[in-house]
């Protein structure tokens, strides 16, 4: 990959950059580094004195919307939640990756820090893995439902959240029913999934965060940019992240597809932000940007 | 030590690696061989269907209006295997070496032995296509009735799915999942196979299929699967290939305009696709291999 000369960008640490460059720097502004070397900032690290929320693991067997599927999911509850008022909600697809405190996103640590600083509201995080339908016989392969659930257009996944998951979590925690206080996030196919949920049900989800989103022709999602231009604007706030090193395969070009999305969102005057870096198909850039993207998504909302 | 480290790393990185693997593609370039196009095997038929491979790799097919079943030898010579087949449509060899057929003209599922002697398996049902399991069970599509039937080894039939317009039917290589084409839908219905042959967990797992640009349904019909779990379905626009997660990997062009009704792997190595296409039958050597269903425990 090409080295580049640049100023710092959001989420990149000077110290790390210096180390990566082998401490052989002529000046602070002329820093040579490889592409896709995004690193996590302080809001993605555990900070002393910041209350830490709790994370519990659960399983869900769907009988209605995705019959026969089984999945793990995790619920993050911030320390500041006391049940006196409904909490805001953010749903993550591929939840296991987002909830991992040592992964590329460390979402619960970011939540702890941002909620503590009142840069986002008291928010319960729901981290869902995709479903699997186990085969009857042990030697037969399960049906992996991830692509079906995430890449398909239509309202099936939104119904899964609204008819199964949110009511289930809502049995234990007081959750908002306001679209303005519900956000949804995902990476790759989970990214287009997050967009699809808000596109189908903007009355239920108003904030979307997409990391290297698959707005390509896996199952027809390449049409969204065209639909956005020719459909009355929906009340959705959306943060897209992608990179020039993202995939280019039989389903499409991820960098071009995300640029098409951004251009269409601009054309249709959406409340959107597009961060296009030099990363590949991974969560490095999105992880480094997570605190900033959450601040942007939740801005102007009451931080309780 | 290396193994331990690898396992640890795999566990730690599993989810992200999983996402990346899912985002990768299985395109038709991984199936086709440069320069190996469709080759004409036989012509002059009225409407060909039901390609089925025997243990040697010879392919049998039906000419429905002419009431014949033909056999393609390993030398590519086409001979008549059976006459007066009463509109026999879908075919497949069972683990007993018999050729099972949808003998829709007299509303029977039958077997043909090596001498083309006919025996009834069950009667009094409409049928279009079938798949025989490694244990000798048979799934049969019934388009007029909107049903899928299951015939157990005791040769008792019962309805295991309703409320669809079924046409082609196939099992995954491990036989744990059944797939049914629906001529009215741009998807393929997918079911879990239960121990007693019942079908459960129906969903629109494969899709969307490519549709003809001029309008109309996909015309999805017969299917086959390969050793990597890729699924091939005949449609109006061509032979559409799906990966095991239900995503379209690409469309292989039809050998000629008009109908493309069914497909199977044939040849001694099961490395050649055979398609029935209206008045003709074609074959094409590919990188992928077909499967034979093993008997379950």
């Amino acid at each position: 990959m090409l080295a580049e000369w640049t100023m710092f960008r959001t989420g990149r640490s000077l110290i790390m950059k210096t180390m990566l460059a082998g401490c052989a720097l002529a000046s602070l502004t002329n820093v040579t580094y490889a592409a896709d070397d995004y690193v996590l900032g302080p809001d993605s690290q555990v900070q002393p004195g910041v209350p830490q929320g709790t994370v519990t693991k659960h399983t869900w067997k769907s009988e209605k919307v995705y019959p026969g599927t089984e999945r793990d999911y995790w619920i993050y509850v911030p320390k500041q939640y006391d049940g006196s008022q409904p909490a805001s909600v953010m749903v993550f697809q591929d939840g296991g990756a987002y909830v991992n405190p040592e992964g590329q996103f460390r979402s619960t640590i970011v939540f702890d820090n941002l909620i503590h600083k009142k840069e986002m509201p008291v928010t319960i995080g729901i981290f869902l893995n995709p479903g699997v339908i186990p085969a009857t016989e042990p030697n037969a392969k399960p049906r992996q439902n991830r692509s079906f659930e995430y890449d398909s257009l239509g309202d099936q996944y939104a119904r899964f959240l609204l008819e199964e998951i949110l009511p289930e979590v809502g049995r234990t925690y007081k959750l908002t029913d306001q679209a303005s206080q519900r956000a949804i996030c995902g990476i790759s196919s989970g990214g287009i999934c997050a967009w699809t949920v808000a596109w189908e049900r903007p009355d239920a989800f108003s904030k979307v965060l997409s990391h290297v989103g698959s707005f390509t022709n896996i199952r027809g999602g390449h049409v969204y940019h065209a639909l956005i231009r020719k459909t009355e604007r929906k009340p959705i706030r959306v943060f897209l992240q992608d990179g020039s090193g993202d995939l280019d395969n039989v389903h499409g070009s991820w960098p071009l597809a995300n640029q098409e999305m951004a251009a269409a969102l601009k054309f249709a005057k959406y409340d959107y932000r597009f961060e296009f870096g030099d990363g590949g198909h991974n969560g490095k850039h999105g992880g480094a940007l997570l605190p900033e993207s959450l601040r942007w998504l939740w801005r102007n909302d009451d931080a309780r | 030590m290396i193994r331990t480290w690898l396992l640890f790393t795999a566990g730690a990185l599993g989810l992200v690696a999983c996402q990346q693997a899912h985002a990768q593609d299985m395109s038709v370039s991984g199936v086709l061989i440069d320069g190996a196009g469709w080759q004409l095997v036989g012509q002059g038929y009225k409407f060909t269907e039901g390609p089925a491979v025997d243990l040697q790799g010879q392919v049998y097919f039906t000419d429905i209006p002419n009431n014949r079943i033909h056999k393609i030898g390993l030398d590519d010579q086409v001979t008549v295997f059976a006459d007066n087949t009463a509109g026999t449509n879908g075919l497949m060899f069972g683990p007993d070496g018999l050729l099972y057929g949808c003998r829709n003209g007299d509303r029977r599922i039958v077997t043909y032995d090596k001498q083309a002697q006919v025996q009834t398996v069950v009667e009094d049902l409409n049928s279009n296509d079938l798949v025989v399991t490694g244990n000798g069970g048979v799934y049969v599509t019934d388009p007029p009735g909107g049903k899928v039937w299951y015939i157990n080894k005791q040769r008792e039939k019962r309805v295991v799915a309703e409320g669809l317009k079924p046409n082609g039917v196939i099992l995954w290589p491990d036989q744990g999942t059944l797939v049914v084409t629906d001529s009215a839908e741009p998807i393929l219905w997918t079911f879990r196979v239960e121990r007693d042959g019942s079908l459960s967990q129906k969903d629109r797992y494969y899709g969307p299929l490519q549709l003809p640009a001029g309008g109309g349904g996909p015309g999805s019909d017969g299917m086959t699967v390969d050793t990597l779990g890729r699924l091939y379905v005949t449609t109006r626009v061509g032979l559409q290939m799906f990966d095991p997660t239900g995503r379209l990997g690409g469309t292989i062009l039809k050998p000629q305009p008009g109908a493309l009704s069914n497909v199977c792997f044939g040849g001694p190595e099961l490395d050649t696709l055979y398609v029935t296409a209206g008045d003709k039958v074609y074959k094409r050597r590919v990188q992928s291999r077909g499967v034979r269903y093993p008997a379950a425990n």
Side-chain angles (χ1 to χ4, degrees):
Chain A
M1 289 190 210
L2 289 175
E4 59 178 291
W5 301 89
T6 185
M7 301 293 285
F8 297 121
R9 279 181 276 171
T10 309
R12 295 194 178 213
S13 131
L14 171 59
I15 295 169
M16 287 301 295
K17 203 78 72 222
T18 306
M19 290 168 64
L20 287 165
C23 303
L25 300 176
S27 77
L28 286 178
T29 51
N30 288 345
V31 180
T32 305
Y33 58 91
D36 203 10
D37 62 348
Y38 302 96
V39 295
L40 300 175
D43 283 332
S44 304
Q45 323 285 347
V46 174
Q47 298 296 335
V50 172
Q52 294 181 17
T54 57
V55 176
T56 51
K57 187 178 180 184
H58 308 263
T59 58
W60 181 252
K61 292 186 180 180
S62 173
E63 294 178 353
K64 191 173 169 189
V65 180
Y66 293 114
T69 56
E70 303 176 8
R71 76 196 66 222
D72 291 334
Y73 71 102
W74 294 260
I75 302 175
Y76 161 86
V77 180
K79 192 80 172 177
Q80 294 85 347
Y81 171 82
D82 61 10
S84 63
Q85 296 181 59
S88 300
V89 173
M90 189 156 185
V91 180
F92 293 81
Q93 281 42 249
D94 290 311
Y98 279 99
V99 82
N100 180 358
E102 296 174 355
Q104 292 178 324
F105 292 100
R106 310 185 181 191
S107 313
T108 60
I109 296 171
V110 178
F111 271 39
D112 284 341
N113 288 324
L114 268 54
I115 292 171
H116 180 63
K117 291 194 277 185
K118 300 191 184 304
E119 291 178 343
M120 64 179 279
V122 173
T123 304
I124 286 183
I126 303 172
F127 298 82
L128 290 162
N129 274 355
V132 170
I133 300 178
T136 306
E137 301 294 340
N139 61 348
K141 286 186 176 141
R143 205 190 308 170
Q144 299 287 352
N145 233 34
R146 182 175 185 271
S147 170
F148 176 58
E149 293 177 6
Y150 289 0
D151 295 314
S152 296
L153 308 195
D155 70 348
Q156 193 169 354
Y157 195 81
R159 287 193 291 108
F160 171 66
L161 297 181
L162 295 170
E163 296 172 20
E164 297 194 20
I165 296 301
L166 292 180
E168 172 63 17
V169 178
R171 285 175 354 118
T172 310
Y173 302 103
K174 195 180 280 186
L175 305 179
T176 182
D177 58 2
Q178 301 297 308
S180 64
Q181 292 301 312
R182 285 201 193 120
I184 183 162
C185 171
I187 183 170
S188 186
S189 292
I192 191 175
C193 173
W195 170 259
T196 296
V197 166
W199 178 257
E200 292 290 331
R201 294 298 303 271
D203 60 313
F205 284 88
S206 72
K207 303 179 199 302
V208 174
L209 176 51
S210 166
H211 297 124
V212 294
S214 303
F215 297 98
T216 50
N217 186 22
I218 297 180
R219 293 180 186 255
H222 61 301
V223 302
Y224 269 133
H225 69 87
L227 291 174
I228 289 165
R229 288 174 186 265
K230 288 194 174 177
T231 306
E232 181 182 356
R233 185 174 68 248
K234 301 185 180 188
I236 301 170
R237 177 181 290 176
V238 52
F239 189 111
L240 302 176
Q241 172 274 324
D242 197 40
S244 57
D246 204 351
L247 295 173
D248 184 353
N249 67 23
V250 74
H251 304 299
S253 160
W254 269 245
L256 290 179
N258 275 275
Q259 290 176 77
E260 283 270 35
M261 282 292 289
L265 292 165
K266 180 180 183 185
F267 174 84
K269 298 185 168 56
Y270 271 77
D271 181 7
Y272 85 101
R273 184 165 156 188
F274 180 43
E275 288 292 332
F276 190 66
D278 55 18
H281 198 68
N282 59 54
K284 288 187 202 170
H285 187 200
L289 281 171
L290 186 61
E292 171 58 19
S293 50
L294 290 177
R295 274 191 285 268
W296 183 86
L297 273 178
W298 291 105
R299 75 190 191 279
N300 297 332
D301 288 317
D302 291 340
R304 292 191 298 272
Chain B
M1 280 302 285
I2 290 173
R3 186 170 186 175
T4 308
W5 183 83
L6 281 175
L7 283 173
F8 172 79
T9 307
L13 302 177
L15 274 160
V16 171
C18 175
Q19 289 157 14
Q20 292 177 4
H22 276 297
Q24 307 306 323
D25 58 337
M26 290 175 99
S27 78
V28 292
S29 63
V31 172
L32 300 178
I33 297 171
D34 282 348
W38 292 113
Q39 292 179 281
L40 183 65
V41 177
Q43 59 184 321
Y45 314 107
K46 280 192 178 166
F47 190 87
T48 57
E49 248 287 5
V53 65
D54 70 8
L55 274 178
Q56 289 72 47
Q58 302 177 112
V59 171
Y60 296 64
F61 66 92
T62 55
D63 182 0
I64 300 174
N66 281 324
N67 292 308
R68 286 194 195 101
I69 298 174
H70 296 271
K71 181 175 90 172
I72 306 168
L74 297 179
D75 57 0
D76 275 352
Q77 294 304 304
V78 182
T79 53
V80 174
F81 169 72
D83 265 319
N84 303 313
T85 54
T88 296
N89 191 338
L91 300 173
M92 187 170 159
F93 279 90
D96 49 12
L98 299 172
L99 181 62
Y100 287 69
C102 294
R103 198 170 159 112
N104 199 39
D106 51 17
R107 291 171 48 82
R108 285 191 288 162
I109 301 298
V110 301
T111 56
Y112 296 88
D113 67 13
K114 285 192 169 60
Q115 286 72 45
Q117 295 300 304
V118 178
Q119 279 210 326
T120 299
V121 179
V122 295
E123 50 193 5
D124 196 24
L125 77 168
N126 298 307
S127 63
N128 178 287
D129 203 356
L130 56 75
V131 60
V132 188
T133 76
N135 284 340
V138 188
Y139 290 95
V140 179
T141 57
D142 170 358
K147 297 169 186 151
V148 178
W149 297 82
Y150 179 66
I151 304 163
N152 65 17
K153 283 202 314 195
Q154 290 72 42
R155 305 202 159 176
E156 301 157 335
K157 71 177 194 290
R158 70 178 199 274
V159 174
V160 288
E162 287 184 274
L164 63 170
K165 293 187 176 171
N167 195 333
V169 60
I170 201 74
L171 284 159
W172 280 13
D174 60 31
Q175 307 178 77
T177 300
L178 185 95
V179 184
V180 179
T181 55
D182 185 322
S183 46
E185 296 270 7
I187 52 91
L188 308 177
W189 293 114
T190 308
F191 301 85
R192 180 166 76 183
V193 176
E194 303 295 333
R195 288 207 170 93
D196 65 355
S198 303
L199 300 178
S200 67
Q201 324 305 10
K202 173 188 177 189
D203 220 328
R204 308 159 73 91
Y205 185 70
Y206 289 93
L209 279 77
Q210 274 192 357
L211 299 174
S220 47
D221 203 333
M223 293 175 285
T224 194
V225 289
D226 70 20
T227 52
L228 297 184
R230 291 174 292 206
L231 181 146
Y232 304 77
V233 53
T234 51
T235 69
R236 286 171 64 194
V237 300
L239 186 62
Q240 301 192 33
M241 192 272 286
F242 285 84
D243 72 23
T245 67
R247 311 178 304 179
L248 178 66
T251 299
I252 299 169
L253 296 177
K254 294 194 287 190
Q256 64 176 24
L260 188 68
S261 60
N262 214 328
V263 58
C264 79
F265 282 91
E269 306 296 327
L270 295 180
D271 63 351
T272 302
L273 284 170
Y274 285 78
V275 293
T276 47
D279 60 336
K280 298 185 182 71
V281 174
Y282 292 86
K283 70 171 188 177
R284 180 172 194 161
R285 207 160 57 77
V286 289
Q287 300 179 53
S288 47
R289 302 280 172 105
V291 298
R292 299 185 195 282
Y293 297 123
N297 296 327

